[in-house]
C-alpha cells in the first residue's frame, strides 16, 4: 500500500535501509563501470583520463543540475541543446562585433560570458512565462523552441559555422584549457554549481516548493505556494545553467555551428533520471544527478577506449539507459 501524502503534498520519505539503497544504486553502478573500464583498458584508470572524463562531464553536468529542478517540479525542457547552440552563436557574434572598438580581449571575453548567462536566463524566463501564463504544456513549449533556437543559429551562421576572432580565442582559451591546483577550470565550475544547486534544493524554501509542486501541484496551491512564480524561477535557473555551460564550451572549439549542443537535452535528462530523480516529479537529488552525469560520461569514455561496440552507438546506449531506469521506477512500490 503506497504511503499517504502529507498536507504539503509530499509523501513521507522511507527510512532505514529502504531509503539508502535507491540512493546508492547510481553510485554502485558508477563503481562497477569504473572497475569494468579498468579491466578492459589500463589507460582508463589514469589521472589524465579521469580529468578528461570530468571535464567533458562538466557541460552536461551543469545543465543537468538545472534540469534536475525542472524535472522534480514535474516539468521538462527539450530545448537545452539548441538553446546552448544559439547562445554560443550570439555570444561569438557579439564579441567579434566589438573587436573594432579596441577593447582589451579579456574585457570582450567577460562581456561575452555575461551575455551567455543573461541570454540563458532570458530564454528560461520565456519558457517559464509561456508555461505558466500561457498555460502551455512544457513538452510543447520546449519542443517548439528546440526548433526555433537551432534554426536561428543556422540562419546567423548561414548554414556554416561562426568562428571566434583569433585574438579572442587566445584570451578565452584558459577558461576551458586552464586549470587550478591541477584540476581543469570547467570541473571547478561544475563542482560549484552542483554544491550551490544542492544547497538551494535541500536548504531553502524554494527547494521545498519545487518538490511540493512536483509531488502534487494542486495541494501545493492549497498550501499557499506560489506555483507559477516557482515554475518561472525554475526554468530561469535552468536557462542560467545552460548559459554557464555554454560559456565554458565556447573556448573549446572557438566556434558555433548547427551541430553545437546536439543531443545535449538527451544527455541532461538521462543524467537526471539515472541519478534517481523520479520522472513523475516530486523527488530527486543534485548528488544523484552529478553521479548520473559522470556515469554516462564513463560509459562514453569506455566505448572510446575499447571496441566493445561502436562509439556511434553512444546515444543509443543513453536512450536504452533512460528507458531501463524509467521502467524500474514504474515498478517501484
Amino acid at each position: 500500500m503506497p504511503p499517504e501524502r502529507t498536507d504539503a503534498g509530499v509523501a513521507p520519505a522511507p527510512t532505514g535501509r529502504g531509503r539508502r539503497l535507491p540512493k546508492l544504486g547510481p553510485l554502485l553502478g558508477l563503481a562497477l563501470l569504473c572497475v569494468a573500464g579498468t579491466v578492459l583498458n589500463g589507460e582508463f584508470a589514469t589521472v589524465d583520463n579521469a580529468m578528461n572524463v570530468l571535464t567533458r562531464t562538466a557541460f552536461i553536468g551543469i545543465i543537468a543540475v538545472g534540469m534536475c529542478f525542472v524535472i522534480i517540479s514535474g516539468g521538462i525542457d527539450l530545448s537545452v541543446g539548441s538553446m546552448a547552440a544559439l547562445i554560443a552563436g550570439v555570444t561569438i557574434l557579439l564579441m567579434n562585433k566589438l573587436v573594432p572598438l579596441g577593447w582589451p580581449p579579456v574585457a570582450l571575453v567577460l562581456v561575452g560570458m555575461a551575455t551567455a548567462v543573461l541570454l540563458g536566463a532570458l530564454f528560461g524566463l520565456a519558457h517559464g512565462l509561456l508555461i505558466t501564463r500561457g498555460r502551455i504544456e512544457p513538452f510543447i513549449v520546449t519542443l517548439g523552441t528546440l526548433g526555433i533556437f537551432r534554426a536561428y543559429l543556422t540562419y546567423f551562421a548561414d548554414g556554416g559555422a561562426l568562428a571566434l576572432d583569433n585574438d579572442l580565442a587566445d584570451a578565452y582559451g584558459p577558461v576551458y584549457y586552464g586549470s587550478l591546483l591541477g584540476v581543469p577550470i570547467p570541473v571547478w565550475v561544475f563542482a560549484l554549481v552542483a554544491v550551490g544547486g544542492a544547497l538551494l534544493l535541500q536548504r531553502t524554501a524554494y527547494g521545498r516548493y519545487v518538490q511540493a509542486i512536483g509531488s502534487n501541484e494542486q495541494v501545493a496551491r492549497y498550501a499557499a505556494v506560489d506555483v507559477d512564480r516557482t515554475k518561472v524561477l525554475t526554468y530561469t535557473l535552468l536557462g542560467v545553467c545552460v548559459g554557464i555551460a555554454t560559456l565554458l564550451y565556447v573556448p573549446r572549439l572557438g566556434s558555433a555551428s548547427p551541430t553545437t549542443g546536439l543531443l545535449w537535452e538527451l544527455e541532461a535528462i538521462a543524467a537526471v533520471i539515472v541519478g534517481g530523480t523520479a520522472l513523475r516529479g516530486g523527488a530527486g537529488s543534485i548528488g544523484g544527478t552529478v553521479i548520473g552525469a559522470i556515469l554516462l560520461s564513463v560509459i562514453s569514455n569506455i566505448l572510446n577506449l575499447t571496441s566493445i561496440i561502436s562509439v556511434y552507438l553512444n546515444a543509443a546506449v543513453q536512450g536504452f539507459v533512460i528507458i531501463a531506469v524509467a521502467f524500474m521506477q514504474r515498478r517501484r512500490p
Side-chain angles (χ1 to χ4, degrees):
M1 181 176 180
E4 296 181 358
R5 294 185 181 275
T6 65
D7 290 340
V10 181
T15 59
R17 189 176 180 182
R19 181 180 180 180
R20 290 192 298 268
L21 287 178
K23 292 186 176 181
L24 289 176
L27 185 59
L28 179 60
L30 178 59
L32 292 175
L33 270 176
C34 289
V35 171
T38 303
V39 171
L40 292 170
N41 191 316
E43 293 296 319
F44 176 84
T46 62
V47 174
D48 287 343
N49 188 58
M51 290 298 103
N52 177 55
V53 169
L54 290 175
T55 302
R56 291 179 177 274
T57 302
F59 311 117
I60 298 302
I62 291 170
I63 295 174
V65 169
M67 186 70 77
C68 184
F69 281 86
V70 168
I71 292 179
I72 289 175
S73 73
I76 196 72
D77 192 331
L78 304 177
S79 72
V80 293
S82 298
M83 185 192 300
L86 181 57
I87 291 173
V90 172
T91 299
I92 290 172
L93 278 176
L94 176 63
M95 288 191 289
N96 287 346
K97 290 289 185 182
L98 294 177
V99 168
L101 296 179
W103 293 4
V106 173
L108 296 180
V109 168
L110 291 175
V111 169
M113 294 169 69
T115 300
V117 176
L118 178 61
L119 281 175
L122 290 176
F123 290 151
L125 176 63
H127 282 160
L129 292 176
L130 285 170
I131 290 165
T132 57
R133 302 296 175 85
R135 303 300 175 190
I136 308 173
E137 289 296 321
F139 179 88
I140 300 300
V141 170
T142 58
L143 182 64
T145 55
L146 179 153
I148 292 171
F149 292 151
R150 198 166 294 280
Y152 268 102
L153 183 274
T154 304
Y155 170 74
F156 291 145
D158 197 21
L162 296 169
L164 194 60
D165 178 85
N166 288 334
D167 290 337
L168 291 178
D170 292 338
Y172 207 160
V175 173
Y176 175 78
Y177 294 103
S179 62
L180 178 64
L181 301 177
V183 178
I185 298 297
V187 178
W188 283 111
V189 176
F190 177 28
L192 290 174
V193 171
V195 171
L199 293 175
L200 191 62
L201 182 62
Q202 301 297 333
R203 303 293 183 180
T204 66
Y206 164 74
R208 293 191 292 272
Y209 293 161
V210 168
Q211 295 175 72
I213 291 170
S215 181
N216 191 316
E217 182 175 324
Q218 195 60 44
V219 171
R221 290 184 186 277
Y222 290 150
V225 174
D226 191 336
V227 172
D228 288 353
R229 180 172 178 270
T230 302
K231 285 186 176 181
V232 170
L233 287 174
T234 300
Y235 281 92
T236 303
L237 175 63
L238 174 55
V240 170
C241 288
V242 174
I244 294 172
T246 304
L247 70 86
L248 292 173
Y249 184 82
V250 167
R252 180 187 179 193
L253 300 177
S255 65
S257 71
T259 59
T260 297
L262 198 63
L263 295 180
W264 279 15
E265 53 278 343
L266 172 65
E267 296 181 50
I269 293 171
V272 175
I273 301 307
V274 170
T277 296
L279 275 170
R280 63 184 178 276
S285 71
I286 300 300
T289 295
V290 170
I291 294 172
I294 296 173
L295 187 149
L296 292 175
S297 291
V298 168
I299 291 175
S300 177
N301 184 248
I302 292 174
L303 293 179
N304 288 329
L305 292 176
T306 64
S307 57
I308 299 176
I309 61 174
S310 172
V311 293
Y312 299 120
L313 292 175
N314 187 36
V317 172
Q318 292 174 350
F320 284 126
V321 169
I322 293 176
I323 294 171
V325 173
F327 177 74
M328 287 187 289
Q329 284 188 2
R330 289 184 62 86
R331 290 177 63 86
R332 286 180 188 172

